[in-house]
Amino acid sequence: MFPIHRPRRLRASTQLRRMVQENTLTASDLIYPLFAVPGNAVAKEVTSMPGVYQLSVDKIVEEAKEVYDLGIPAIILFGIPEDKDIDATGAWHDCGIVQKAATAVKQAVPDLVVIADTCLCEYTSHGHCGYLEVGDLTGKVLNDPTLELLKKTAVSQANAGVDIIAPSGMMDGFVTAIREGLDEAGFTDIPILSYAAKYSSAYYGPFRDAAESSPQFGDRRTYQMDPGNGKEALKEVALDIAEGADMLMVKPALSYMDIIWRVKEMTNLPVAAYNVSGEYSMVKAAALKGWIDEKKVALETLTSFKRAGADLILTYHAKDAVRWLNE
């Protein structure tokens, strides 16, 4: 009781505060998302995500070198193909845009960890994450046939040199299917970072501009999770662990820190949080208006994900965050 206990004693100086800080953000915590497109010398800024670009493979390599030099250990690649079809051919083709980008990055920066987003929505003509019933305009994806596409995509990405497979489509059994496919192809050492708790969120809007992946009809609520559900996330996580996931992801992060905490409490696997496009764009927009201090808000937010239990953070702030931390 006061006056014996005075918590302010440990806040009296910068050095003392550093000594007792419980959670510290470092470059090693961060993963930087990149969007690969066909062409050469392409760097097209995403209007709704200031500072984020669609990049051709040569520009992806330049970014990868910069990311590595900053001490960020990993990137995650998303692809926007030249053509889309109902079979998501661009996702699993050996000459797909992610495959080309992954091979080029691993040749240029072999020690940088390359993660591939293993999903189909960027590659299907209808914008959904798998096969649909012919004529179905509800967006209800056929689960089991889609697993075969995901398996093919993961193996193709591994053949291209990807270090980590990150399935994000929220199909039932996708970890099992991908693990089987990788093992059968001889990639037993490639880990799976499962988007284990991915919510059907309004925070994804700017990403869909960047990845050109908005559904042409319906929505994704038949496979992504209801934002009101917490226990369901733990069920999804438990299933993915049982299926052989090596790492787990919660997406989005900012409005789901309770889920990050609960997932971390239930498992000893590494937990990643995806600081998604809408969260990023809100900070950028408010900062451009002069309403907030971008540096302070971004670093506070990223540190809060660590406090909630995240071991890794996927964020578009990654490069700026490292520069700020190094100041």
Side-chain angles (χ1 to χ4, degrees):
M1 297 293 291
F2 179 84
I4 297 172
H5 294 289
R6 292 178 180 265
R8 289 184 59 190
R9 291 173 183 144
L10 300 183
R11 305 174 197 153
S13 70
T14 299
Q15 296 289 45
L16 191 53
R17 290 192 296 272
R18 284 179 58 202
M19 289 170 62
V20 298
Q21 187 174 18
E22 296 174 27
N23 295 283
T24 304
L25 182 71
T26 72
S28 297
D29 301 319
L30 306 177
I31 298 168
Y32 191 52
L34 291 170
F35 298 93
V37 296
N40 189 59
V42 176
K44 179 183 176 183
E45 188 169 27
V46 180
T47 304
S48 56
M49 298 178 70
V52 174
Y53 296 81
Q54 294 178 335
L55 301 168
S56 53
V57 170
D58 56 316
K59 292 293 185 179
I60 290 276
V61 170
E62 291 178 13
E63 281 286 291
K65 290 177 179 177
E66 182 180 358
V67 166
Y68 182 75
D69 289 342
L70 284 168
I72 298 167
I75 59 172
I76 182 167
L77 292 173
F78 299 88
I80 301 96
E82 195 163 6
D83 298 301
K84 303 186 179 193
D85 55 44
I86 60 172
D87 294 316
T89 306
W92 48 265
H93 197 283
D94 288 342
C95 293
I97 188 62
V98 163
Q99 287 79 354
K100 289 180 178 179
T103 299
V105 169
K106 292 306 292 185
Q107 289 174 348
V109 199
D111 291 335
L112 183 68
V113 173
V114 175
I115 306 169
D117 177 74
T118 306
C119 194
L120 307 173
C121 60
E122 298 105 306
Y123 306 94
T124 55
S125 50
H126 46 67
H128 282 284
C129 298
Y131 280 124
L132 303 180
E133 287 276 13
V134 176
D136 183 3
L137 298 181
T138 67
K140 185 177 180 180
V141 173
L142 298 175
N143 194 91
D144 295 7
T146 298
L147 296 181
E148 294 303 310
L149 283 183
L150 292 172
K151 185 187 296 188
K152 288 168 60 175
T153 300
V155 171
S156 175
Q157 292 170 341
N159 276 321
V162 165
D163 299 294
I164 298 173
I165 298 297
S168 62
M170 290 297 286
M171 295 297 112
D172 294 341
F174 67 169
V175 175
T176 292
I178 289 170
R179 185 73 271 158
E180 288 177 353
L182 292 173
D183 290 353
E184 289 168 2
F187 295 111
T188 55
D189 292 333
I190 290 188
I192 295 174
L193 167 56
S194 173
Y195 287 63
K198 181 179 179 182
Y199 284 84
S200 181
S201 173
Y203 283 98
Y204 301 150
F207 173 91
R208 291 173 182 168
D209 294 337
E212 300 179 11
S213 62
S214 295
Q216 298 302 301
F217 49 82
D219 54 45
R220 294 179 177 148
R221 289 184 291 179
T222 67
Y223 44 104
Q224 295 177 358
M225 289 177 50
D226 187 319
N229 292 357
K231 288 185 284 188
E232 184 186 10
L234 304 186
K235 177 182 178 180
E236 289 277 9
V237 166
L239 289 170
D240 284 5
I241 293 171
E243 291 177 23
D246 301 282
M247 295 180 281
L248 307 162
M249 192 188 301
V250 176
K251 180 182 181 181
L254 189 60
S255 290
Y256 298 87
M257 283 195 274
D258 61 318
I259 305 301
I260 298 170
W261 175 262
R262 292 167 74 177
V263 170
K264 191 60 183 176
E265 287 289 288
M266 72 174 285
T267 179
N268 57 8
L269 293 182
V271 175
Y274 201 138
N275 179 209
V276 298
S277 58
E279 298 165 2
Y280 170 86
S281 294
M282 289 192 303
V283 171
K284 297 295 284 190
L288 288 170
K289 286 285 189 179
W291 294 339
I292 62 171
D293 184 314
E294 180 182 357
K295 169 185 172 180
K296 290 181 178 179
V297 169
L299 291 179
E300 180 179 339
T301 301
L302 296 175
T303 301
S304 73
F305 299 148
K306 289 292 299 290
R307 189 187 68 244
D311 302 289
L312 300 167
I313 304 167
L314 292 81
T315 178
Y316 305 97
H317 293 292
K319 292 195 301 180
D320 285 336
V322 173
R323 295 187 184 108
W324 292 328
L325 291 170
N326 288 338
E327 289 177 357

